[in-house]
Amino acid sequence: MTKKQRAAAIIDALKKEYPDVKCALTYQQPHELLIATRLSAQCTDVRVNMVTPALFERFPTIEAFADAEVDEVAEYIKSCGLFKTKAADIVNMCVMLRDEYGSVVPDSIDELTKLPGVGRKTANLIVGDLYGKPAIVCDTHVIRLTNRLGLTDSKDAQKVEKQLAALLPPEESLYFCHRLVWHGRGVCNARKPDCEACTLKELCKEYK
């Protein structure tokens, strides 16, 4: 079985296991997903979803965030870790969105990665979830699972993204990543993967 054939089989198996998967972050407006994704760095989505309702009520628009004091934003996100850096990034990205993008979240990876605190993982999520474009979101779950499954052979997110781009049909790539995240949380976790319960075990390089 080639890597492309294995990838196709994994896609099919994940679709059956997680048919209605979506992004785990809760948001109503495009900029809210951008901010929530920034908060999710080294923090769980569950924690981010606990923090954002009050944050988005206090600062309901891009303009409100752009005019905010960094220290006040930081108070709302203290439990997310690295909160001072994240608060500064959030305010500065919203200033840039207001002043350079007419308060519209860009729809390209090149433009998104110009924003403070936005890397390729965040940019891919935005173009995929908001704009329906092909996207490969290489978070820790995707990197870990694709290495275990034998689709990739690197811990570097950009290398993994490139390797997956060669294997995945563009229209499947975003939801493949979302499904791997759910599978990584529920079954194939980092410390003790539940291999016997895994729907992918027969396709996995590490299954004994």
Side-chain angles (χ1 to χ4, degrees):
M1 183 182 283
T2 66
K3 280 189 178 182
K4 267 199 171 181
Q5 289 170 330
R6 182 183 289 111
I10 291 168
I11 287 169
D12 288 344
L14 287 171
K15 277 183 175 180
K16 291 173 185 172
E17 191 76 6
Y18 309 99
D20 300 316
V21 75
K22 61 181 181 179
C23 178
L25 294 167
T26 303
Y27 67 97
Q28 300 294 325
Q29 302 180 70
H31 73 274
E32 293 180 355
L33 178 58
L34 186 62
I35 290 167
T37 309
R38 178 66 190 98
L39 291 175
S40 71
Q42 298 181 30
C43 181
T44 66
D45 291 347
V46 171
R47 169 59 57 185
V48 173
N49 288 338
M50 291 170 64
V51 164
T52 50
L55 178 69
F56 294 151
E57 183 177 0
R58 173 64 182 90
F59 305 104
T61 63
I62 288 172
E63 291 77 12
F65 274 110
D67 291 335
E69 294 291 333
V70 171
D71 287 347
E72 186 181 359
V73 174
E75 283 298 312
Y76 280 87
I77 64 171
K78 259 186 174 177
S79 63
C80 286
L82 302 174
F83 63 96
K84 291 182 180 179
T85 300
K86 290 177 181 179
D89 283 344
I90 288 167
V91 172
N92 291 329
M93 77 166 62
C94 287
V95 168
M96 196 167 172
L97 287 172
R98 180 193 65 191
D99 295 348
E100 298 186 29
Y101 294 97
S103 294
V104 175
V105 176
D107 64 353
S108 77
I109 288 174
D110 286 345
E111 293 302 314
L112 283 161
T113 50
K114 293 177 183 177
L115 298 171
V118 176
R120 287 191 65 86
K121 184 192 89 169
T122 297
N124 268 290
L125 183 67
I126 297 301
V127 300
D129 263 68
L130 290 184
Y131 296 109
K133 295 184 177 184
I136 298 172
V137 184
C138 286
D139 77 342
T140 55
H141 295 290
V142 171
I143 293 168
R144 182 178 75 254
L145 268 66
T146 57
N147 271 260
R148 285 178 174 173
L149 290 163
L151 298 180
T152 61
D153 59 9
S154 175
K155 299 293 175 64
D156 179 86
Q158 203 151 345
K159 288 180 181 176
V160 169
E161 182 185 335
K162 188 175 181 180
Q163 290 174 358
L164 289 176
L167 299 175
L168 303 175
E171 69 276 10
E172 299 284 0
S173 57
L174 178 68
Y175 288 100
F176 172 82
C177 293
H178 282 334
R179 290 182 174 106
L180 281 185
V181 169
W182 287 97
H183 194 66
R185 287 180 180 144
V187 181
C188 190
N189 62 53
R191 292 182 181 177
K192 195 177 180 184
D194 188 358
C195 295
E196 292 308 316
C198 182
T199 190
L200 303 176
K201 63 186 177 185
E202 300 302 333
L203 297 164
C204 183
K205 286 281 192 181
E206 291 197 10
Y207 178 65
K208 301 290 187 291

